Amino acid sequence: MAAPIETPGAQTRPTVKSNPRVALFATCLVDTIRPTIGFAAAKLLEDAGCRVEVPRQTCCGQPAFNSGDRATTRALALQMIADFEGYDYIVVPSGSCGGMIKAHYPELFADDPNLAARAGRLAAKTFELVSFLTDVLGVTSVSARFEGDVTYHDSCSGLRELGIRNQPRRLLGTVEGLRLVEMKDADVCCGFGGTFAVKYGEISDKIVTEKAGNIEQTGAATLLAGDLGCLLNMAGKLSRRGAAVEVRHVAEVLAGMTDTPPIGKASPQARSRATAGSKEDPA
Amino acid sequence: MSGTPTTRDFKANASRAIANTQLTGNLKAVRQNFIDKRAKAVHALPEFEALRESGKEIKNHTLAHLDLYLEAYEKKVVETGGHVHFAADAAEARAIALDICRKVGAKTVTKGKSMITEEVGLNAYLEANGVIPVETDLGEYIIQLRGEAPSHIIAPAVHLNKNQIEGDFRRVHTHLDPGRDLTEKTSLLTEARGVLRESFLAADVGITGANFLIAETGTSVIVTNEGNGDLTQILPRVHIVFASIEKVVPTLEDASQILRLLARSATGQEMSVYTTFSTGPRRPGDPDGPEEYHVVILDNGRSAMLGGEFQDMLRCIRCAACMNHCPVYHQIGGHAYGWIYPGPMGAVLTPSLIGVDEAGHLPNASTFCGRCESVCPMKIPLPKMMRHWREREFERHLNPAVARHGLGFWAFFAKRPRLYALGARIAMKGMALLGRGKGSFKSLPGLSAWTKYRDFAVPEGETFQAKWARARKG
C-alpha cells in the first residue's frame, strides 16, 4: 500500500536528494529485544521515499562510553564509522544512541584530526528517526490509525541532546483515532540511565515509580516514547505495579504496526498456548 | 562542619534516605519551591540565554588569568585598608581565622551563610578552641542547633519540615515561654530573629562568605534574603570574608552581569532581597562598618583543576539549580552524598577536592539525564565531567569488578559483529523460550538487580538483523 505521506514544499530544511540511501541502525536493544521497532522504522522511512538498508551492526558504544571505558568506545565508534559512513543518512530509532553518534563521536577523536573529521561527517548525517522524518524529510503526517488515549514520555537524550520534543507530538497528532494526553513532568528522567538502573537500582526504582504514577494518572491506555531503554524501564515498572497501561515505541504507532503485543505483554494466543502446554506438561 | 566524608557509603546513605518517609516528604519542597519559579523568571527575561553565554565568557576569561586577577584583587583590598590571606588548604584557612579571632580576643563569632566555612569545618574548629560560632542564616542556624551539615547549598535546612524545626526551637530556646505559639512559620522566624539579635550585638567577629570578589575595586559581594549577612558584617569590630579562589571576577560590571543570572537560577527572584558590596574596613567619617576587614581565600585543590578536564567546574556560582532539577537529588536529598556539596555540582566538585578514591560513587550516581546542564547559568557540562571522573576510575580500576567484567564480556561480542549476531540469536531464542507464554519475567538469573524492582520484557525471540535478512531475501 502506497502511503500518502505529505511533504511540504519550501521550508527551511536541508535539501534532500530523492530516494536517499539510508542505513538503519536499529540499536542493540531493538536488535535483540524488540525487532518490531526496526521494521516500523524501516516502514516509515520507505513510506517517505528512502531506500533502507541494514548494515551489519552491534552497538554504538554508549554503555562503554558512560562507564568510562574510552578504548572500547573508540573501537566500537570506529566500527560504526567504517560500516555506516558510505550511506546518505544514518537513522536511529533512539535519541540516546542517535545522540551518542551525533553529539559524542566527534569528541572521542579530538586527538586525531583524520578520525575526528570522519566522525564529524558521520555525526552530521546521523539522525534520530522521528526528527529525521520531520526535520530532514519534511514529513508532516502519517497514514496510521490507533484508537485511544496515549501519553508521551520525552526521553532525556533525545530531548536535551537533540532537541526532540514537538516532532513526535506533531506526527502523533495526525494518527487517526489517537488522542494525546500529556502527563505531569513528561520531560523528567524515567530513572533508566543505562547501567544506572542496575548499579543504583534503589534510586532508579524511586524515580521510575514516580514516573509510573504520572503515567497512570493521565488515564491513557498507552505510553509511548522514542527510546527502548526507557520503555523497558517504564514498562517493567508498570507491569510490576499491575498497571494496565500498554507500552510501545512511538514508531510502532506512527507506522501503524501495532499487531505485535505491547512491550512486556504476551499475545493472547501465546498465553493460551502456554496454558494449554502447561496442562500437558506440568514440569 | 565538614567532618569525615561518608561519600564511600553513598549507597547505604541513599538507602537510609529513601526509607525515611519524613525526609522524602520534606524533599518535595525542592521541586515545589524552585523549579517553576526559576522557569518563570527565566522566561520573563528574553536575554537570559545571552546572559548565560556572557557569564560563561566572563568566568572563562577570569580563570584563564586567575593569578593576575587574584593579585589585582589583593592589591585593591590592601589599598582600601583590608587584609588578604591565601590559604592552601582547610587547615590553613581555619588557623588564619582562629588567629584573627585570638588577636582581638573574640569570644563569639556571628556567621553569615558560607559554604567555604562548611568546607573547611570552621565551626567545629573554632568551638574546640574556645570561640563560639553562631550561624545567623535561618537555615544554617537550624542545622547548627541540630548538629547537622547543610543538605543543600542555598537552602541548608530544606530536608526539614516546620514541625521538626519547632521541636528544635522548643528544645534549645528553654529561656522562652513553653506555652508560646509556634504554629505559624512566621512565628519561628520571629523567634529566631529575637534570639539572634543578642548574638549580633555581642559578637566580636563576623564571618561571611562571598558570592564574588571584584578585582577592580577590592570588593566582596554577598547576596542574602534575610539581611542577616549585613548585621553579621557591620556590627562586630572585625569582618572576615571566606571565599575560594574562583570567586574573583574582573570588574563591577562583570559581577552585575552574573548577578542577573544568580538569583533567577537559584530561587527565581530577579535579585535577592539584599545584595551587599563591602570594600575595606570603616573609613573615617563612615557611619558604620568593621574596624578590621580580612579576606581568607581558599585553594584546597582548586588550582589543580585549572588547565585540566575539570576547569569548567570553577565557573560554578553556587546557585543550586543543578540539584533543584536533579531526579537523583529529589529522591535522596543532600546528606546522602556524604560531603558538603551535593547533587550534580557536588558529583563533579567533591572528587576534585577530596579525591575520586573517596568520592567515586558520586559521578556514577547519575542517569545523565542532562537536566542539570540545561539549567546551569554558567553552562557547565556537568554530565560530561562526571563521565571524565568515570574514565579516571575505569583507568585506575576503581569501579567494581563485576561491572568491569560485565562490560568486558559485552565489549568482546560488540567488537565482533558476526560472533555478536550469532550470540544474540542464540541468547534471544533462549530467553524467548524461557519466557514463552509470558510477556515479562518477574525474575531472571543474572538480571536480579533489574528484576528486584521491575519486570523485564520477554524478547520477541528473533533478532532484528536475522529477521530483516530473512524478510528481504523474500
Side-chain angles (χ1 to χ4, degrees), chain A residues 8 25 40-41 56 73 83 116 122 133 187 196:
Chain A
F25 176 57
R56 66 165 200 176
T73 314
D83 291 341
L122 188 81
L133 293 172
D187 62 346
F196 174 85

Side-chain angles (χ1 to χ4, degrees), chain B residues 86-206:
Chain B
F86 287 98
D89 56 26
E92 272 189 41
R94 291 190 298 253
I96 291 163
L98 181 65
D99 187 48
I100 298 168
C101 289
R102 283 203 169 139
K103 275 189 183 143
V104 298
K107 290 189 184 62
T108 64
V109 168
T110 41
K111 287 188 68 212
K113 204 177 138 8
S114 153
M115 289 306 294
I116 298 297
T117 62
E118 298 282 355
E119 181 181 324
V120 304
L122 184 65
N123 285 4
Y125 183 77
L126 289 179
E127 231 171 310
N129 287 282
V131 179
I132 301 165
V134 181
E135 294 289 351
T136 66
D137 170 270
L138 182 59
E140 288 284 347
Y141 176 70
I142 293 162
I143 60 168
Q144 189 182 26
L145 295 185
R146 300 171 64 88
E148 288 179 348
S151 70
H152 186 281
I153 61 172
I154 68 163
V158 75
H159 59 288
L160 300 170
N161 65 37
K162 195 182 69 59
N163 293 340
Q164 290 170 287
I165 297 165
E166 179 181 342
D168 290 324
F169 279 17
R170 292 195 186 280
R171 174 174 59 80
V172 177
H173 301 160
T174 47
H175 61 292
L176 298 173
D177 174 14
R180 69 198 185 278
D181 182 15
L182 287 177
T183 45
E184 293 301 317
K185 274 187 186 168
T186 46
S187 52
L188 290 170
L189 186 65
T190 310
E191 177 161 322
R193 274 218 171 106
V195 173
L196 286 171
R197 188 82 12 162
E198 290 160 33
S199 302
F200 282 127
L201 294 169
D204 308 294
V205 173

Side-chain angles (χ1 to χ4, degrees), chain B residues 202-321:
Chain B
D204 308 294
V205 173
I207 298 177
T208 66
N211 293 87
F212 306 97
L213 304 175
I214 301 172
E216 179 185 36
T217 54
T219 303
S220 59
V221 184
I222 56 169
V223 300
T224 70
N225 279 322
E226 297 164 16
N228 63 304
D230 299 63
L231 295 174
T232 300
Q233 66 180 48
I234 286 171
L235 295 176
R237 281 190 294 133
V238 178
H239 176 198
I240 308 176
V241 177
F242 260 76
S244 47
I245 55 171
E246 80 280 17
K247 287 281 175 276
V248 71
V249 293
T251 65
L252 272 168
E253 170 62 29
D254 295 327
S256 310
Q257 291 237 21
I258 300 176
L259 275 169
R260 300 185 70 199
L261 289 162
L262 178 56
R264 286 180 171 90
S265 301
T267 53
Q269 295 164 286
E270 290 181 359
M271 288 287 280
S272 301
V273 178
Y274 298 88
T275 302
T276 309
F277 293 70
S278 316
T279 314
R282 179 199 299 215
R283 294 164 302 186
D286 280 354
D288 54 22
E291 291 162 25
E292 286 180 35
Y293 176 80
H294 297 266
V295 186
V296 180
I297 302 181
L298 178 72
D299 182 345
N300 210 24
R302 289 167 175 79
S303 56
M305 294 162 72
L306 290 167
E309 282 172 322
F310 302 106
Q311 173 170 316
D312 289 348
M313 189 60 220
L314 296 174
R315 292 204 297 264
C316 177
I317 56 173
R318 304 293 190 269
C319 70

Side-chain angles (χ1 to χ4, degrees), chain A residues 190 204-219 223 232-245 247 264-265, chain B residues 440-442 451-456:
Chain A
C190 74
S204 170
D205 174 49
K206 295 299 287 183
I207 302 174
V208 72
T209 298
E210 276 193 27
K211 178 58 76 176
N214 288 339
I215 293 163
E216 289 167 24
Q217 213 157 41
T218 62
L223 165 72
L232 288 172
N233 182 39
M234 293 182 289
K237 191 73 221 181
L238 288 163
S239 159
R240 183 63 57 93
R241 284 158 68 94
V245 183
V247 182
K265 299 262 198 279
Chain B
S440 294
F441 295 106
K442 297 276 170 214
T451 53
K452 184 173 179 196
Y453 301 105
R454 21 177 151 46
D455 296 345
F456 191 84

